[in-house]
Amino acid sequence: QVQLVESGGGWVQAGGSLRLSCVVSGRPLNHIHMAWFRQASGREREYVAVLSSLSGATMYADFVKGRFTISGDNAKNTLYLEMNNLKPEDTALYYCAAKTTGTWTTDKGFYNGWGQGTQVTVSS
């Protein structure tokens, strides 16, 4: 079983930056697929970025391309989300998620490990 603990959320003005971290335990990071999702108040949880730790490939939602970067540090067994040029519409609870079997995907229904979430608030 994989355990995930996020940190790094906070309040920032539009145009600012934050880096989210997700410490993974129970599985080596480079043996699983990882992703960041977010859920704004009153909306569905949506995928933000995916990292295939097996291949190193990444995928991003269109609304974060060029602004966010997903990465992993295998030595620290930690996943990151570097967020730049933040916008008020990025305000949400951000979750990291793990998929320990099969191929990588952006579908949240296939992820079998979730963190508790970290709040990001961007003011205009």
Side-chain angles (χ1 to χ4, degrees):
Q1 189 174 357
V2 63
Q3 292 82 42
L4 310 173
V5 179
E6 304 101 332
S7 63
W11 177 88
V12 66
Q13 288 189 318
S17 299
L18 285 173
R19 188 177 79 158
L20 306 183
S21 300
C22 173
V23 177
V24 180
S25 57
R27 290 286 188 101
L29 184 65
N30 59 2
H31 287 192
I32 55 179
H33 304 298
M34 296 294 299
W36 289 97
F37 290 82
R38 71 185 188 185
Q39 188 167 15
S41 179
R43 299 188 64 176
E44 291 281 323
R45 191 172 300 187
E46 60 185 356
Y47 114 91
V48 173
V50 176
L51 170 66
S52 172
S53 297
L54 303 175
S55 67
T58 59
M59 189 182 305
Y60 296 91
D62 287 344
F63 52 78
V64 302
K65 281 181 181 177
R67 300 189 298 125
F68 292 10
T69 303
I70 187 172
S71 63
D73 184 330
N74 293 331
K76 296 182 178 180
N77 228 43
T78 299
L79 180 75
Y80 300 101
L81 184 68
E82 185 75 36
M83 305 185 296
N84 298 312
N85 190 22
L86 282 160
K87 303 176 181 181
E89 52 264 43
D90 294 319
T91 295
L93 191 60
Y94 282 72
Y95 297 90
C96 69
K99 185 177 185 293
T100 58
T101 61
T103 59
W104 68 330
T105 179
T106 61
D107 188 332
K108 60 182 179 291
F110 288 96
Y111 283 81
N112 55 344
W114 291 87
Q116 81 288 352
T118 185
Q119 178 68 38
V120 172
T121 303
V122 185
S123 65
S124 57

